[in-house]
Amino acid sequence: MYYEIYMDVFFLVNFMMDYLLLAAVCRMLAGDFRRRRVLPGAVLGSLLTCLTTMLPVPGFVKLLLYHVAVNTVMLKAAIPVHGMREFVKAFFMLYGGGFLLGGIFSFFGQYIRTGSLFFLFAVVSYELMQAVWAFWRQMQRQNQYTCELLVEQSGRKVRLKGLIDTGNSLTDPLTGQPVCIVEREAVESLMESTQKRRYIGFRSVGNEHARLLLVRFDSLYLPGKEKKQICDIWIGISDTRISTDGTYRILVNPDIFRRGCK
């Protein structure tokens, strides 16, 4: 059994796939796509793949050349990686992108009836892969600005999901401590057992002279990786929703993470 390979087609197909993969790694690694480097890198990678295919060496040697030597040279030529750690990251991204691109392309491959459609479906697969990557990055960024909290009062606790609001610089003028803002409905049951309340003034967009109700709670506990407990904390009470879909119930002042329990 033998296979007949047309080197011109083999080169073109490998060049196309290498180009798309290198472009994806560029965007995933640094968000900077440089055609003047990616294009030669893809040409070099495809050329080395063709030369390796023609070498009269055992299969396991070709396997090492394909997956180690060729990809290393191709990455070095196309992407300006600095240091071994960044190179290893780019290397795994290349293979991760390859598996994802291959999976998407194999799904579309069943509908390919003519060779000319190959390149169309390759580009479509690349765009889908980029969309998946962008969605994953968006979810990662969103998770960086969320946290779980426990508000405690007289032995009762309420668990809330909070949004870390980097634009919130509100501080209590009496204590100088950062102020978080929570929905009234979320802590209504806890407010029944505390009488310590007062108002502070603040400014917001479209409201220069607003007043905010502060309620003193026994503690605010961050059970996640922060594992921080803040005692005798004054929290602002909002009569409106923090988020339209109710996902977040408290706006967390990022400066609150610097406090500890007194």
Side-chain angles (χ1 to χ4, degrees), residues 140-202:
Q140 287 292 104
R141 284 193 293 267
Q142 184 174 346
N143 290 335
Q144 290 176 357
Y145 296 101
T146 61
C147 60
E148 296 284 339
L149 305 98
L150 288 174
V151 181
E152 182 178 9
Q153 177 61 35
S154 301
R156 301 173 64 184
K157 298 179 181 179
V158 172
R159 182 180 292 272
L160 304 171
K161 187 169 184 179
L163 177 66
I164 302 174
D165 184 9
T166 56
N168 180 10
S169 58
L170 185 63
T171 58
D172 183 353
L174 292 183
T175 64
Q177 298 297 338
V179 175
C180 299
I181 302 175
V182 68
E183 294 178 5
R184 180 184 290 271
E185 290 184 7
V187 293
E188 193 79 56
S189 59
L190 301 183
M191 291 174 60
E192 299 173 357
S193 58
T194 177
Q195 300 299 321
K196 294 185 178 181
R197 307 180 183 192
R198 54 186 170 86
Y199 287 88
I200 62 171
F202 74 97

Side-chain angles (χ1 to χ4, degrees), residues 4-165:
E4 187 174 347
I5 298 177
Y6 296 94
M7 275 299 166
D8 53 346
V9 178
F10 187 68
F11 174 85
L12 192 58
V13 169
N14 276 278
F15 165 74
M16 181 71 175
M17 302 306 289
D18 288 344
Y19 181 84
L20 294 178
L21 279 175
L22 289 172
V25 173
C26 277
R27 291 195 169 102
M28 288 188 291
L29 190 64
D32 184 18
F33 172 64
R34 301 179 182 180
R35 185 176 286 106
R36 65 181 183 274
R37 295 200 60 162
V38 171
L39 188 59
V43 171
L44 182 59
S46 183
L47 180 61
L48 290 176
T49 300
C50 292
L51 292 175
T52 302
T53 303
M54 293 186 293
L55 287 177
V57 294
F60 74 93
V61 176
K62 286 189 177 183
L63 194 65
L64 287 176
L65 291 175
Y66 282 137
H67 294 286
V68 179
V70 173
N71 288 339
T72 297
V73 173
M74 184 173 65
L75 276 176
K76 287 286 189 180
I79 302 174
V81 291
H82 305 286
M84 180 57 67
R85 184 175 181 180
E86 190 172 349
F87 171 77
V88 172
K89 183 178 179 181
F91 196 85
F92 278 103
M93 280 185 173
L94 182 70
Y95 273 90
F99 282 119
L100 184 58
L101 184 62
I104 298 173
F105 189 73
S106 63
F107 172 79
F108 287 117
Q110 58 185 313
Y111 303 107
I112 298 177
R113 294 294 180 267
T114 60
S116 59
L117 288 178
F118 171 85
F119 301 103
L120 173 62
F121 282 109
V123 173
V124 171
S125 300
Y126 167 78
E127 293 298 332
L128 284 176
M129 181 181 68
Q130 287 293 98
V132 171
W133 172 256
F135 175 77
W136 184 81
R137 289 293 297 167
Q138 179 64 30
M139 295 300 296
Q140 287 292 104
R141 284 193 293 267
Q142 184 174 346
N143 290 335
Q144 290 176 357
Y145 296 101
T146 61
C147 60
E148 296 284 339
L149 305 98
L150 288 174
V151 181
E152 182 178 9
Q153 177 61 35
S154 301
R156 301 173 64 184
K157 298 179 181 179
V158 172
R159 182 180 292 272
L160 304 171
K161 187 169 184 179
L163 177 66
I164 302 174
D165 184 9

